[in-house]
Amino acid sequence: MALPADIADYHRKLDPEDREICELLASEIGRGLPEAQSKVWHAHPVWFLDGNPIVGYDRLKDAVRLMFWSGRSFDVGGLAPSGTFQAAEVRFNDASEIDIDALASWLSTARTIQWDYEHIRTNRGLVKRTDF
C-alpha cells in the first residue's frame, strides 16, 4: 500500500538511517491497522481510526519516537509514559531495534483500547476512554 504523499515527503527529508526506521514503522502500521487513515498531523505521520489519533512517529533530536495516544492503558509491556494524557512511547536509533512482534501486539491493542482525543475540546480538555 502506497503512503500518502505528505508522509512520503516526510520520509524523503530524513537522513537514511531515520528513513529506514520510519519506513519500517509505516509498513508495519499499515499491516497492523489497514483500515486506519494516515496523514502528516502536527508535523509528523499519524494514523487515525474514525478520526481519533492512534499511532504516529516523529524524529526527535536523539531518536525516532513511536507514540501510541492510548498506550498507557495497554496491558502489554515495552512502552514508556509520554506527556500528560494517556500516551506512551518507545524510541529507536536503528531499524534493527524494532521488535516486530511487540509492534504488532501494540497495534492490535491500539484498535480496541482508545481514549477519545478527537473530542478533547468539546470534552473541556479531558480525554474519555472509548474502548471498542
Side-chain angles (χ1 to χ4, degrees), residues 4-6 9 13 31 47 55 65 74 77 79 81 99 103-104 108 115-116 121 127-128 131:
D6 57 350
D9 187 51
K13 294 176 182 176
R31 184 181 340 276
W47 279 255
V55 61
R65 171 180 56 185
F74 296 179
L79 297 171
D99 180 336
L103 180 53
S108 176
W115 289 78
D116 184 6
R121 290 181 190 215
V127 291
K128 298 179 180 180
D131 294 351

Side-chain angles (χ1 to χ4, degrees), residues 36-63:
Q37 299 81 42
S38 58
K39 64 182 177 181
V40 171
W41 187 59
H42 296 287
H44 62 275
V46 177
W47 279 255
F48 298 81
L49 292 175
D50 296 323
N52 201 33
I54 301 301
V55 61
Y57 51 80
D58 62 327
R59 176 67 178 120
L60 302 175
K61 189 183 294 187
D62 64 337

Side-chain angles (χ1 to χ4, degrees), residues 7-21:
I7 294 178
D9 187 51
Y10 178 94
H11 288 179
R12 273 192 295 279
K13 294 176 182 176
L14 298 170
D15 64 34
E17 295 82 15
D18 295 334
R19 186 177 314 120
E20 182 181 7
I21 294 168

